[in-house]
Amino acid sequence: MFVAEARVLGLALLGSVFASQTAWAAEVSAPTPEGMLSHFESWIALAIVVFAFGAAWLLNHQAPKLRATGTLLAALGCFGVVWWFVGILGSGVLDNPKPFQAPMDALKPGILWTQAIVALLGGITLLGVANRQRKGTEVLELSGANEVDRYGRVSRVMHWATAMLFILMIPMGVFSSMIPENVWYRTEYNIVHKTIGFIVLGLFASRLLWNRKSKRPGLDPSLKPIEKRLAHGAHVALYVLMFAVPFTGYVMTSLHGYPSFFFFIELQPFLPESEAYIVWGLFHKYILQYLIYLILGAHVLGALKHHYIDKHQSAFKRMVS
Ligand code: HEM
Ligand code: HEM
């Protein structure tokens, strides 16, 4: 009895946090304009996935010129995000979004601006790196399996493909949640978001399987004990996020009674419709999103600090080719 009451009270409290409980996971939108390529959103999702895997493969190639091409592609990916952001500025959605559901939703335009500026700075930095790499002659001798003190090619390709897709999903998710219900491309955005989310889930599973087959290297010996603890904690947390973020998105969507998509394949909800979607939405849209900023920020800044401030080249080069 008490548990049931507590659940109702909890849901009521959560509901009151959000100004409206309208379709979080809504798929309702105007039909796609005539003349568009059939399932064009699935082609876009496929292009993004192929791009990420292609760039990740080139980034870890034996030949220096091809590694430079991988870095150039990563830079172009960053500029692609900036170009997309300029496009969405022109769409008017940032000024007239779907009604906000929680007070912190007012932060969304600012979050997108920040992410676009980070993408611009990242793209410019990567262009400089590609230019330097172009002049290099070092052949990267790397086996497929992990070694005692550095990651092998398979782990590196999976890490960088995941990194690109995961990072891209953040602004894409924020923007998708701002698109008003009646705008035709709302469903299309959701299809791309959900498809790439499932690919990240697949990458997470593949990485776990690969780690069983090929032992991960221990942490870099140049790290101080506290840095080792922080780095290890961040790695564990990132593995948890790679699973928890897409999983909560899938459960939230299913509990709300909407389908999910893997490219053009429509996956019907796997759970009965329930108000509990609010709790899962709270995790997918708010708690985990802010945890991503915290943990991923620490992971990336930590890696850059080892390289540029501590000058521990070996730590960075264990994953970066
Ligand atoms: C630009 C962004 C990123 C940079 C510069 C970066 C850099 C690195 C580096 C240098 C390592 C090796 C650390 C060591 O051996 O001590 C590493 C490992 C790792 N990274 Fe990233 N990373 C980035 C993005 C991401 C993202 C987006 C995720 C996941 C969501 C992620 C998950 C991981 C995990 C789980 C490990 C540990 C791998 C293992 O031991 O299996 N990284 N990263
Ligand atoms: C790597 C995986 C994923 C990441 C990083 C991610 C991230 C995000 C983020 C940051 C948002 C914006 C939340 C907000 O500001 O309101 C969002 C929204 C959303 N996500 Fe995901 N997501 C992932 C996977 C998935 C999956 C697999 C599904 C469903 C199958 C999903 C369904 C949704 C939906 C429906 C919304 C929009 C909710 C709305 O209209 O308000 N996500 N996601």
Side-chain angles (χ1 to χ4, degrees), residues 219-232 305-306 309-312 315:
L219 285 164
D220 193 77
S222 69
L223 297 183
K224 297 185 197 112
I226 174 79
E227 289 175 334
K228 277 193 180 163
R229 275 201 291 278
L230 288 174
H232 176 70
K305 173 183 171 283
H306 291 311
I309 299 178
D310 303 341
K311 309 272 183 218
H312 291 158

Side-chain angles (χ1 to χ4, degrees), residues 151 159-160 163 207 216 235 238-239 296 299-300 318-319:
Y151 293 91
H159 173 270
W160 290 108
R207 285 176 78 167
R216 298 158 60 203
H235 291 170
L238 286 167
Y239 271 110
L296 193 56
H299 177 63
V300 176
R318 288 149 51 86
M319 185 61 98

